[in-house]
Amino acid sequence: MAIPAQSYLLLSAAVFCIGLFGVLTRRNALIFLMSVELMLNAANINFVAFSLQHGNLTGQVFALFGMAIAAAEVAVGIGIILVLYRNFSDVDVTKATTMRW
Amino acid sequence: MTNRPRLNTEGSLIAGLAAVALFAVLAVVFAAVSFPAPAGFADGAAITKSLGAAMFDIAPGQLMDEGQAAVPAEGFLVAFIIIGVLLDAALDGAVMLAKREEKGENVGVGTETTDPDDSALAADGGGQADDVEGGDR
């Protein structure tokens, strides 16, 4: 019994919206980063689901590339958070309102 | 005084309603559409081998053993190399951001600084070992 594609879409939308909720409501930069990861992984769920739907592996390969993009984004993101902490002694994104060097 | 986990109520949850509303819209749209039965993969399909063949642009037939069927995909060799360059650039960017320099000198963990009060481990809040009290924290 195959799972219908709508279920995957619904799961993906739920994961994306949880990520969006985190971005909109939280102030901690690390939780921001985790929320963006959730949003990227929601896209990966869709890629894999439609790979199965069409019987073609292109979507799965693209999901692997999506994970690599996410890794690159986290590497730079954590570097930015490190600099944020050094300059403002906090990782609250609402505190960093000046371009202090 | 307890130290049990508490619900984090920082920030306003009003903005989060936008995310909930977006989910409601998406759920209504997805409930209304219907897809044909998924094509799926054949029983003897060698998924991982086909993934490798697609990523390195090799003809999948060359890799398959007896009874293994190749799954169609496009070639992604150029994308693979570009992602490799991107990861390398991200690593360089992360190192550049994390590097701490004082007077042109690279300051790392374990580096002797001229001022003994200016700890190189300031990233933990700058606390010195002698102002950490013993006992459970």
Side-chain angles (χ1 to χ4, degrees):
Chain A
M1 176 68 192
I3 299 170
Q6 293 100 308
S7 307
Y8 294 113
L9 283 174
L10 208 60
L11 171 70
S12 160
V15 173
F16 183 87
C17 290
I18 290 169
L20 187 65
F21 186 90
V23 167
L24 291 175
T25 56
R26 293 308 186 101
R27 295 197 308 232
N28 187 324
L30 282 169
I31 295 179
F32 249 60
L33 212 57
M34 291 186 215
S35 301
V36 174
E37 283 304 298
L38 280 180
M39 291 161 82
L40 278 166
N41 279 306
N44 282 345
I45 292 172
N46 274 344
F47 278 133
V48 174
F50 280 96
S51 171
L52 182 74
Q53 179 75 21
H54 294 292
N56 189 311
L57 278 184
T58 298
Q60 291 198 22
V61 180
F62 223 88
L64 288 172
F65 289 145
M67 289 179 205
I69 297 271
E73 178 250 319
V74 163
V76 175
I78 287 186
I80 291 173
I81 290 173
L82 197 67
V83 174
L84 199 70
Y85 184 81
R86 263 187 215 146
N87 285 339
F88 297 95
S89 300
D90 202 356
V91 288
D92 188 336
V93 288
T94 58
K95 294 270 172 64
T97 52
T98 56
M99 293 187 75
R100 195 171 66 170
W101 190 246
Chain B
M1 187 178 135
T2 61
N3 58 357
R4 69 183 169 84
R6 289 174 195 282
L7 189 66
N8 190 340
T9 52
E10 66 165 27
S12 89
L13 294 178
I14 310 270
L17 282 178
V20 177
L22 177 67
F23 178 71
V25 170
L26 288 174
V28 168
V29 171
F30 293 154
V33 292
S34 68
F35 289 94
F41 303 116
D43 276 345
I47 307 270
T48 313
K49 274 189 181 177
S50 302
L51 274 176
M55 214 177 270
F56 302 119
D57 230 345
I58 305 166
Q62 292 178 1
L63 300 175
M64 298 303 151
D65 296 332
E66 289 279 321
Q68 287 185 327
V71 184
E74 293 159 46
F76 280 98
L77 184 62
V78 174
F80 184 82
I81 292 169
I82 291 173
I83 294 276
V85 172
L86 175 93
L87 281 171
D88 196 16
L91 179 68
D92 290 347
V95 170
M96 190 207 79
L97 284 168
K99 202 186 279 179
R100 208 148 70 94
E101 288 183 351
E102 275 173 21
K103 304 180 195 95
E105 292 280 316
N106 194 15
V107 180
V109 176
T111 306
E112 286 290 322
T113 50
T114 48
D115 185 2
D117 292 334
D118 183 19
S119 169
L121 296 171
D124 66 351
Q128 299 292 308
D130 55 357
D131 56 26
V132 175
E133 289 171 13
D136 293 335
R137 281 167 59 86

